[in-house]
Structures are given as C-alpha cells and as structure tokens.
Amino acid sequence: MVITIQINNQQDYQWLRPFLEALKGTSAVVKVKGELPKDDGIADKRKAYLQFLEQHQIHVDKVEIPSRDERNER
C-alpha cells in the first residue's frame, strides 16, 4: 500500500503527525509531499517569550500619542 499526503502548512503536519507515527510500524509506504516544517526551536523560543511576557506584565493606564508637531520637534 502506498499513501501519498500533501502537506500545506504547519497545522496540517501537526494534525497528521500521530497518524504518520502510527504508520511507521506497518508495511505501508508513506510519501509526504510539500515542505516539512523545520524543527529549529523557533516554536520553543516563541513559547518561552510569551510565558515571560505573561509573568512580567506591566499595567499601562493610558497611551498618549504625540501630535504631529510634537513628533516633528524631535
């Protein structure tokens, strides 16, 4: 049996990953078309950054945007 799968994005790959792992122990030949996502640690870095932001929040009451003249004075 030959199974061909076209992967369009990271979300598709993550959804299919358990299925692909289950097929490793069978006699099926799986062909994946498309670019597999790179595992370069960016997702882990992004997750750590978002956790840092959540732990070190700073409350801001009001954001004042300078007028055009005030911006041009700089």
Side-chain angles (χ1 to χ4, degrees):
M1 173 186 336
V2 176
I3 301 170
T4 304
I5 300 171
Q6 177 72 34
I7 295 178
N8 295 322
N9 55 38
Q10 175 78 15
Q11 186 179 13
D12 288 348
Y13 178 73
Q14 292 300 327
W15 185 81
L16 283 171
R17 193 173 187 176
F19 177 71
L20 296 173
E21 293 294 326
L23 286 175
K24 282 186 179 179
T26 66
S27 62
V29 176
V30 179
K31 295 181 181 180
V32 179
K33 293 184 178 181
E35 293 185 21
L36 291 175
K38 298 176 183 176
D39 187 18
D40 54 3
I42 290 178
D44 292 335
K45 291 177 184 177
R46 183 181 301 130
K47 184 177 178 182
Y49 176 68
L50 292 174
Q51 286 176 349
F52 173 82
L53 291 177
E54 189 173 319
Q55 293 172 358
H56 299 89
Q57 296 179 21
I58 299 174
H59 179 71
V60 177
D61 294 324
K62 183 177 180 183
V63 176
E64 294 184 18
I65 300 173
S67 68
R68 178 180 292 231
D69 293 333
E70 290 173 335
R71 288 191 308 253
N72 287 337
E73 288 176 0
R74 295 183 190 179

